[in-house]
Amino acid sequence: MKAVAVPQFKAIPQVMELPKPQVKPGTVLVRVAAAGINPFDWKLIDGILDGKMPHNFPMVLGVDGAGTVEAVGEGVTHFKQGDKIYGQFIHSPIGEGSYAEYVVVPEKAAISHAPASISLVEAAAMPTAGMTALQLLERLGLKHEQTLLLVGATGGVGSFIVQLANMQGIYVIATVSDEEGAERMKKLGAKETINYKKISLEKEINAKYPSGVEGLIDLVSAAPVFKAMTALVKVGGAALTTAFVADKEALKARGITGGNFETQGTPASLDTLADAVDSGALKVPVGMVISMEEVPEAIEMSRKLKGKGKTVIRIE
């Protein structure tokens, strides 16, 4: 089979011919239709889990995927041959990922039945970004008409947050870097956009919301910027970062809850997202669909935070 893999940590991804994996007890063999690219993918290349989990080399990349169950192993009860599934295909050992024509995934992984109303290419864009957005909003705990400042809004996670927050009646202020981003965010449901390249975000928020916003989700900032952003949150509000740069004590001192956030992939979260898509309430923001050969360049774009919307690799 064809797969995108690295021969060692920190290597440039390349398309390789590798043996097709065989189904094992408790697993499903998936013919992959598409895989979603996430920042975590290049972090795996850099060795973020080195020493924490076993790795196989060549290390086939990819966490998110969608495809068709080709075979089920002994003991599998949730899925059958022919089922369309999606989710996080990552499992131990690291290196049997979704950037491949076939992957074997444990039935107990964060996988579930794909939304029926969209293509598998679109479904592959959803798992990590969608579950991250869903769980960030759950943890933030904002109510109808409360204000959310969303920093790093125009990527995959941000695009889901804007829609899911809008569904809950939360007033979203999204940061953008250009007019195209502003237009896209407003279409998805953001009530305000602030172009941080043109005006001071701090001045704008302080002028419009002198007592502060109720919630902050920051998907991109380094520690000093996140700290500055938390100054825009009112006492008793909440602030979360996916970049793991929060100083919990500093937040506590200001009467703000939250801190660092990590997604927990679950079939229940995937089912919630699938229901929202199938009901027509949630649109999947696919930015670009690329081939396997274009993955190295796309990974580099992701490293530089240049992605717009979600990049998906079409595999079949």
Side-chain angles (χ1 to χ4, degrees):
M1 68 168 184
K2 265 172 48 171
V4 180
V6 289
Q8 62 202 38
F9 289 125
K10 296 186 167 57
I12 293 169
Q14 51 192 275
V15 180
M16 301 182 184
E17 282 289 338
L18 296 173
K20 179 180 170 182
Q22 301 301 307
V23 73
K24 302 185 272 286
T27 70
V28 293
L29 173 65
V30 183
R31 188 171 82 251
V32 183
I37 290 184
N38 295 297
F40 192 70
D41 300 344
W42 57 259
K43 291 174 187 175
L44 282 176
I45 297 171
D46 291 353
I48 193 170
L49 295 180
D50 188 16
K52 295 174 189 168
M53 287 177 78
H55 288 62
N56 279 351
F57 289 93
M59 182 168 78
V60 177
L61 304 173
V63 172
D64 287 357
T68 306
V69 175
E70 184 150 293
V72 298
E74 189 185 329
V76 170
T77 57
H78 283 65
F79 304 102
K80 64 185 188 303
Q81 189 179 7
D83 281 353
K84 308 287 187 198
I85 69 167
Y86 84 126
Q88 293 180 321
F89 291 178
I90 189 170
H91 59 274
S92 183
I94 299 298
E96 300 176 352
S98 60
Y99 293 12
E101 291 178 319
Y102 293 90
V103 63
V104 166
V105 188
E107 182 186 28
K108 290 182 176 167
I111 56 175
S112 194
H113 293 92
S117 61
I118 59 172
S119 70
L120 288 174
V121 169
E122 291 170 291
M126 290 175 62
T128 296
M131 287 193 285
T132 300
L134 188 71
Q135 293 172 18
L136 275 164
L137 287 168
E138 282 169 2
R139 183 150 157 218
L140 205 64
L142 292 189
K143 295 182 174 62
H144 191 75
E145 292 188 347
Q146 287 190 310
T147 48
L148 166 64
L149 174 60
L150 179 58
V151 178
T154 54
V157 176
S159 300
F160 280 113
I161 289 173
V162 171
Q163 294 182 81
L164 291 166
N166 189 46
M167 282 160 63
Q168 295 170 40
I170 295 165
Y171 188 97
V172 179
I173 307 154
T175 68
V176 299
S177 60
D178 55 30
E179 280 309 308
E180 184 199 340
E183 204 173 303
R184 197 156 53 83
M185 289 298 101
K186 283 186 173 159
K187 271 185 188 162
L188 292 176
K191 296 293 187 282
E192 281 183 53
T193 61
I194 297 175
N195 186 333
Y196 62 87
K197 289 196 169 172
K198 284 189 174 174
I199 55 175
S200 162
L201 181 60
E202 287 94 331
K203 279 184 186 165
E204 189 77 0
I205 295 293
N206 283 327
K208 283 190 176 176
Y209 306 92
S211 61
V213 295
E214 275 97 3
L216 164 71
I217 294 175
D218 191 328
L219 303 168
V220 292
S221 300
V225 179
F226 178 68
K227 191 175 180 183
M229 292 296 110
T230 61
L232 305 174
V233 180
K234 64 169 60 173
V235 174
L240 292 169
T241 166
T242 53
F244 269 70
V245 295
D247 179 340
K248 203 100 191 253
E249 291 309 308
L251 289 177
K252 200 173 172 184
R254 289 205 54 249
I256 297 171
T257 58
N260 297 316
F261 176 85
E262 192 171 9
T263 314
Q264 301 297 322
T266 66
S269 287
L270 289 168
D271 290 342
T272 299
L273 291 168
D275 288 346
V277 167
D278 285 340
S279 73
L282 184 64
K283 299 278 183 284
V284 182
V286 177
M288 278 176 29
V289 180
I290 63 170
S291 68
M292 281 184 167
E293 288 70 23
E294 294 170 289
V295 168
E297 188 184 344
I299 292 271
E300 206 45 47
M301 293 285 279
S302 176
R303 272 187 193 279
K304 292 174 179 168
L305 300 174
K306 295 264 176 76
K308 298 227 171 143
K310 190 78 186 168
T311 300
V312 177
I313 310 157
R314 189 192 299 277
I315 289 172
E316 69 162 22

